[in-house]
Amino acid sequence: MTASARDIAGATPAGRDRYVDLLRVASLGTVIGGHWLMAAVGTGGMGNLLAVVPRLQVLTWVLQVMPVFFFVGGFSHALSYRSLVRRSDGRPVYADFLRARLRRLLRPTLVFVLVWAVLALGVQLAGAGDGRLSGAALRMVTQPLWFIGIYLAMVAFTPPLLKLHERHGWAAFAGLFGAAAVVDVLRFALGVPYVEFLNFGFVWLAVHQLGFLRADGRIRRPALLAAAGLAGAALLVAYGPYPLSMVGMPGEKVSNMAPPTLALLCHGLWLVGAVQLLARPATAWLARPRVWRGVVAANGIAMTAFLWHLTAMLAVYGVQLAVGIALPEPATAAWWAQVPVRIVLAAGLTALLVACFRRFEAPPGKAAGAAAGPGSGPRAAAGITLCLLGILGLSMTGLGGLLDGHSATLIAVPVTAPAAIAMALGGWLLVERSGTARRVRLRG
């Protein structure tokens, strides 16, 4: 039986860092709200509000909070891996760590992918895949999966990077920061092709490394970190080749997000410093039982809500079109007047979808006494690699070309949506099988 939020909240250890749980929920909630607001559907199709009203792009310096989620991930991964090591009696724990961290993430993700793949196939077989809204939906609904692919890479690299952190501390972070800077120099100053894709690793792993530093209490001057990050990002945008927006924009030649840039890494430093400054008052607020129960409840459904929130918003627009309610041009007075209603409806529909699919986010029961055996580490590593490549590939291809072989380039290799789905499913099976190599009987 799944424990209720009240039960979990009541059993919370006194030493738990509750602020980290709040940051996880708040960052995903901010992303969901931002996507709902930026989705601008008009008579010309689906666009981005920030492209229609460029002056609003400055808001991304506060609302682009994915760095906070990855920072929290680093903190959680450090604690989880160290806990496994302490209880391992000297046996390898890499495969156990991957399974423990991936189950709650991949189960709801793969369910989402399979449900949408069936829907997309049905739409295309019916010949409706090129409609104004259906075409945009099939193209865009998988785009947010990019962050799950990156997160999988962070999980995979946690053990070696944690060792690097334990040996070198801030110098390990500085090395990743410097590598990201070198990549941008090679990209913008020397025009080296494809080198920019390395920053998918260097930028996000550097933010992840900050989570290790927080786990060890080594971010002691958050105001300095925030000021340095904000100043660095401002200087790079003012005098470098970097755009103002910290999210991707349609048609832009350079994006701070895809691939990520040094400017986005500085933005991440500013956000991490800022949220650290709020840690003390927020922790006092979270000591209130009712507040903490709310955070616990939200954490239990956050990933499911993230996966399905665009589906909900697209459905709201679809109903609006179906019943004949006019779609005003984005950013007009009539469009802004509809925004609150659309967001309320999208929130309600997301709640219904969460009620349907939240069971897949619930932590699965642990196999009693399951232990990783010989060869489980390489098998798990291969599995997570396939998963992250499959999910990243699907975020790029979308689901609009299931029948015509539409492909996108993933690390210089064309990949189709069916191939990406097969890689993700195959990788998941490999990770799961890495725990079946040996069984031990629990005693006592």
Side-chain angles (χ1 to χ4, degrees):
M1 180 182 295
T2 302
S4 68
R6 181 183 295 273
D7 294 335
I8 296 172
T12 302
R16 183 177 181 88
D17 192 331
R18 301 183 180 195
Y19 185 47
V20 166
D21 296 283
L22 175 63
L23 290 178
R24 183 184 296 112
V25 168
S27 57
L28 285 180
T30 301
V31 171
I32 290 172
H35 284 170
W36 283 343
L37 182 60
M38 287 190 297
V41 178
T43 55
M46 179 169 287
N48 188 314
L49 178 64
L50 299 179
V52 178
V53 189
R55 64 179 179 273
L56 294 179
Q57 293 178 19
V58 70
L59 296 178
T60 63
W61 286 52
V62 176
L63 299 179
Q64 166 51 295
V65 293
M66 270 304 174
V68 175
F69 187 86
F70 292 144
F71 165 66
V72 167
F75 176 92
S76 300
H77 296 159
L79 268 58
S80 175
Y81 185 75
R82 286 168 171 171
S83 176
L84 278 173
V85 170
R86 285 194 300 270
R87 296 183 280 112
S88 68
D89 295 326
R91 67 176 177 82
V93 299
Y94 185 66
D96 296 335
F97 173 72
L98 291 188
R99 289 198 313 277
R101 302 309 296 178
L102 297 189
R103 279 177 171 173
R104 189 169 175 182
L105 181 67
L106 282 180
R107 289 172 77 243
T109 300
L110 292 177
V111 168
F112 168 81
V113 167
L114 292 176
V115 169
W116 256 105
V118 172
L119 291 174
L121 188 60
V123 167
Q124 290 167 70
L125 286 173
D130 296 326
R132 178 174 54 169
L133 189 58
S134 61
L138 297 180
R139 184 177 65 255
M140 295 180 60
V141 74
T142 62
Q143 286 182 3
L145 297 182
W146 71 267
F147 112 87
I148 295 175
I150 298 297
Y151 197 80
L152 293 176
M154 291 177 174
V155 173
F157 282 106
T158 287
L161 288 180
L162 188 56
K163 289 183 180 179
L164 196 67
H165 157 76
E166 290 167 349
R167 179 173 297 181
H168 300 290
W170 275 100
F173 165 79
L176 290 168
F177 186 96
V182 169
V183 166
D184 273 14
V185 170
L186 294 175
R187 174 186 181 183
F188 294 117
L190 301 180
V192 177
Y194 301 114
V195 70
E196 63 268 26
F197 294 103
L198 292 174
N199 268 351
F200 276 114
F202 293 139
V203 167
W204 291 124
L205 287 174
V207 175
H208 189 250
Q209 204 81 4
L210 290 171
F212 297 165
L213 291 161
R214 187 187 193 280
D216 289 345
R218 301 186 65 174
I219 302 180
R220 300 187 181 97
R221 303 180 70 181
L224 178 61
L225 186 66
L230 186 59
L235 289 172
L236 288 170
V237 169
Y239 299 104
Y242 306 95
L244 174 65
S245 175
M246 292 297 164
V247 300
M249 299 297 300
E252 62 186 357
K253 293 182 179 179
V254 175
S255 167
N256 280 321
M257 274 290 295
T261 64
L262 185 62
L264 184 66
L265 179 50
C266 288
H267 170 70
L269 295 181
W270 131 247
L271 285 181
V272 167
V275 298
Q276 282 294 99
L277 286 171
L278 298 174
R280 183 172 296 178
T283 300
W285 181 60
L286 289 166
R288 301 177 181 179
R290 184 174 297 179
V291 173
W292 177 235
R293 284 198 299 270
V295 172
V296 169
N299 259 298
I301 61 170
M303 184 55 61
T304 305
F306 175 82
L307 288 167
W308 292 98
H309 76 281
L310 275 185
T311 303
M313 177 55 78
L314 291 165
V316 170
Y317 273 117
V319 170
Q320 186 173 350
L321 285 171
V323 300
I325 300 176
L327 289 174
E329 288 304 308
T332 61
W335 186 88
W336 281 110
Q338 291 183 2
V339 165
V341 177
R342 278 197 298 266
I343 289 179
V344 168
L345 292 174
L349 185 52
T350 299
L352 290 176
L353 290 167
V354 166
C356 292
F357 294 104
R358 63 178 297 177
R359 64 178 63 91
F360 299 105
E361 187 172 353
K366 297 180 180 178
S376 60
R379 189 182 298 116
I384 195 172
T385 300
L386 280 175
C387 281
L388 73 90
L389 290 176
I391 290 174
L392 283 176
L394 192 60
S395 74
M396 298 170 65
T397 63
L399 292 168
L402 289 176
L403 298 179
D404 59 15
H406 168 73
S407 66
T409 300
L410 176 66
I411 316 178
V413 177
V415 62
T416 63
I421 294 171
M423 282 193 290
L425 290 173
W428 163 254
L429 292 176
L430 273 176
V431 172
E432 284 295 292
R433 287 174 61 86
S434 69
T436 62
R438 178 168 59 91
R439 297 279 177 176
V440 297
R441 186 183 300 274
L442 291 177
R443 302 181 185 276

